[in-house]
Amino acid sequence: MSRLSDMRTPLARAKGLGGLQDGAEHWTAERVSALLLGPLSIWGVAQILRLAGRDRDAILAWAGRVQNAAPLGLLIALTGRHAQLGLEVIASDYSRGWRRVWLRLVIRLSTLLFVALGCASLARILMTRTTEAK
């Protein structure tokens, strides 16, 4: 179709032409995850500083409590999601065609794997601590 016969407005022609084709939703998800990561990251750094110098058993006991494991799991999941969103933007900016599709697939699978491993490790700590307490 030639430009002369295209009767759409410039905005209508530009919609959907971005690298991700869902720019507004992607942008919103990035901002929401960053907003939620702010206080969780401050909590995480404070806990790391508080636990510095403690032995392995004390740290596992800390992570085995639900009031600590819940925000830690949320921190793991949100960090993975935020990383995925950022890496997808980079992939869409610097790749085209089938490479973009494969890169997005690799990014999604690898971040899912890292989040799953982190949450599975946390679940194992929780299960081990609850069976030891009985």
Side-chain angles (χ1 to χ4, degrees), residues 65-75 122 126:
R65 283 188 230 122
V66 175
Q67 65 266 25
N68 296 325
L72 189 56
L74 191 58
L75 182 63
L122 190 57
L126 275 170

Side-chain angles (χ1 to χ4, degrees), residues 26-106:
H26 200 273
W27 184 88
T28 304
E30 274 186 316
R31 296 324 179 265
V32 168
S33 66
L35 184 68
L36 294 173
L37 274 173
L40 272 174
S41 297
I42 293 170
W43 173 85
V45 169
Q47 297 305 311
I48 289 170
L49 293 174
R50 193 173 70 79
L51 292 169
R54 301 245 178 119
D55 64 344
R56 181 178 184 270
D57 290 332
I59 294 171
L60 287 175
W62 173 85
R65 283 188 230 122
V66 175
Q67 65 266 25
N68 296 325
L72 189 56
L74 191 58
L75 182 63
I76 291 168
L78 279 172
T79 301
R81 177 67 173 146
H82 191 72
Q84 174 199 343
L85 291 167
L87 289 170
E88 282 182 356
V89 168
I90 293 170
S92 70
D93 286 347
Y94 294 104
S95 63
R96 297 286 174 252
W98 62 270
R99 284 190 179 132
R100 178 186 297 163
V101 174
W102 281 105
L103 272 173
R104 287 184 73 184
L105 181 64
V106 167

